[in-house]
Amino acid sequence: MSSPEIASVSWGQMKVKGCSSTYKDCKVWPGGSRAWDWSETGTQHSPGVQPADLAEVLKVGVDTLVIGRGMREALQVPSSTLDFVRQKGVEVQVLQTEKAVAKYNNLVGQGAKVGGVFHSTC
């Protein structure tokens, strides 16, 4: 099962190919996507992305995880979260969201088992 390509990203909106929904923040993985609802884990810009935000994507079995920190990179990614991902044997890339989407789509195009979590505002 391949990861879906991200069709577009702009401030506050993300579209995933093959999905009729428009997301503000989203999670993608081989075979699927859904809204990334920060209220599920109590995530805020600081301290930022928590292991619980990533567990669903990692559970599917990805080799690389791409994290988009927002258009202005306001979303923090603590080292403890990065350690959590690496302990699962998964490479992690943390980038400004537009760059993260480009990296993610490039990996999808290469047929990689890639997942991502993306914040599309600040």
Side-chain angles (χ1 to χ4, degrees):
M1 207 172 276
S2 62
S3 301
E5 188 176 330
I6 296 173
S8 65
V9 61
S10 59
W11 187 274
Q13 287 192 30
M14 296 188 73
K15 292 287 292 172
V16 175
K17 280 192 179 175
C19 180
S20 60
S21 299
T22 299
Y23 302 117
K24 175 180 171 254
D25 300 319
C26 76
K27 297 181 179 188
V28 288
W29 59 85
S33 67
R34 78 171 182 94
W36 178 15
D37 182 353
W38 291 15
S39 69
E40 292 173 356
T41 57
T43 296
Q44 297 179 12
H45 287 102
S46 182
V49 182
Q50 303 171 63
D53 293 311
L54 309 176
E56 175 181 18
V57 175
L58 295 174
K59 188 172 151 185
V60 173
V62 297
D63 295 326
T64 304
L65 177 71
V66 181
I67 300 173
R69 293 188 51 212
M71 299 300 203
R72 297 182 188 144
E73 299 184 84
L75 178 61
Q76 302 300 304
V77 183
S79 59
S80 57
T81 297
L82 297 175
D83 291 343
F84 170 78
V85 175
R86 291 180 183 128
Q87 286 169 0
K88 303 270 184 208
V90 174
E91 179 186 346
V92 62
Q93 303 269 334
V94 180
L95 301 160
Q96 184 268 354
T97 293
E98 291 160 311
K99 292 176 182 172
V101 165
K103 178 67 171 178
Y104 170 86
N105 280 342
N106 181 271
L107 290 167
V108 168
Q110 295 175 24
K113 287 176 57 177
V114 60
V117 295
F118 302 97
H119 177 47
S120 73
T121 58
C122 26

